[in-house]
Amino acid sequence: MNVIINKNKFIKIKQNASDIWSFFLDLIFPIECLGCGREGQWLCQTCFKKINLKAEQYCLHCKRGNDFGEFCSLCRVNYDLTGVWIASLYENKLISKAIKSLKYYFASSLADDLGKLLIFFVNNLINQGRILKPDLKAGVGWQGLNRAENLPLAILDFKANLIIPVPLAKKRWRWRGFNQAEILGKIFAGYYGLEINACDLVRIKHKKPQVKLTEKNRLSNLKDCFVWRGGSLNKRNIILLDDVVTTGATLNECARVLRANGAGEVWGLVVAKG
Ligand SMILES: [Zn+2]
Ligand SMILES: [Zn+2]
């Protein structure tokens, strides 16, 4: 008799299994590093260190490079989103495998790794924005002041940001059992001690999968998909967390809703650009 065993299905079972059951499943399907195949971890230390962080940020619309991934003065008019921080590229095989495995096998240790990646990346961004050598006796120099003037408020006053994970539709949430953006958001917010709100931005419908649509249709497909059920955001700067960005249509639609409810700057922060 031929028994076809679906490894993916088993891994999904494994995430919900009791310790004894998962001990047996481990014997049959040991977890292997997505990079080198070594047993024991989804992503080993050696492979994790090989992942390159994206050094240059740019205007997501026209791809012109800049320091903080903000939309440039020409493209800004088309967006409610202030800009997008992109930690790495989806074309990096290890990144795309890690994101897929997190989503479909709920490999929670991968969430820790991808969360760590976001933290390393944002530490770099903040360091880049720091006003260099502030000398209190001499006061902040003109150079420092000029620099501060051009910094995004979300970087200048980083600790005041509110983290909001991009929500899943209820149906999809039920199917998957968790929202990967929320897990990443909790890791990220926990590290910096930032406030997180994972319940008041709600996705009320999920239409056709965005991947199959053109950019123009993506926007109309998303219209009225999100609602904000919290109070006024009182100019609060917001960081929207998601795993992947492509055109930015989803992030921008969230930003539109948040800004309509009084948000200040709304930034996207994603693990990868697809
Ligand atoms: Zn490895
Ligand atoms: Zn631009």
Side-chain angles (χ1 to χ4, degrees), residues 57-70:
Q57 299 297 303
Y58 55 46
C59 164
L60 186 68
H61 193 93
C62 68
K63 313 287 186 280
R64 204 173 304 162
N66 57 38
D67 283 349
F68 293 105
E70 62 272 26

Side-chain angles (χ1 to χ4, degrees), residues 161-179:
N161 289 310
L162 173 65
I163 302 295
I164 299 183
V166 171
L168 287 179
K170 239 190 192 151
K171 204 169 139 193
R172 193 163 286 200
W173 190 90
R174 256 187 251 126
W175 180 76
R176 195 176 286 160
F178 66 97
N179 175 3

Side-chain angles (χ1 to χ4, degrees), residues 19-32:
D19 286 349
I20 299 166
W21 181 228
S22 62
F23 171 76
F24 286 112
L25 286 175
D26 268 341
L27 290 178
I28 311 170
F29 301 118
I31 287 178
E32 295 163 358

Side-chain angles (χ1 to χ4, degrees), residues 33-38 43-48:
C33 171
L34 295 169
C36 64
R38 209 176 303 165
L43 197 53
C44 76
Q45 284 272 346
T46 318
C47 291
F48 180 80

Side-chain angles (χ1 to χ4, degrees), residues 81-95:
L81 199 58
T82 313
V84 185
W85 296 325
I86 300 168
S88 64
L89 294 175
Y90 202 70
E91 62 199 35
N92 178 324
K93 288 252 159 59
L94 205 48
I95 286 289

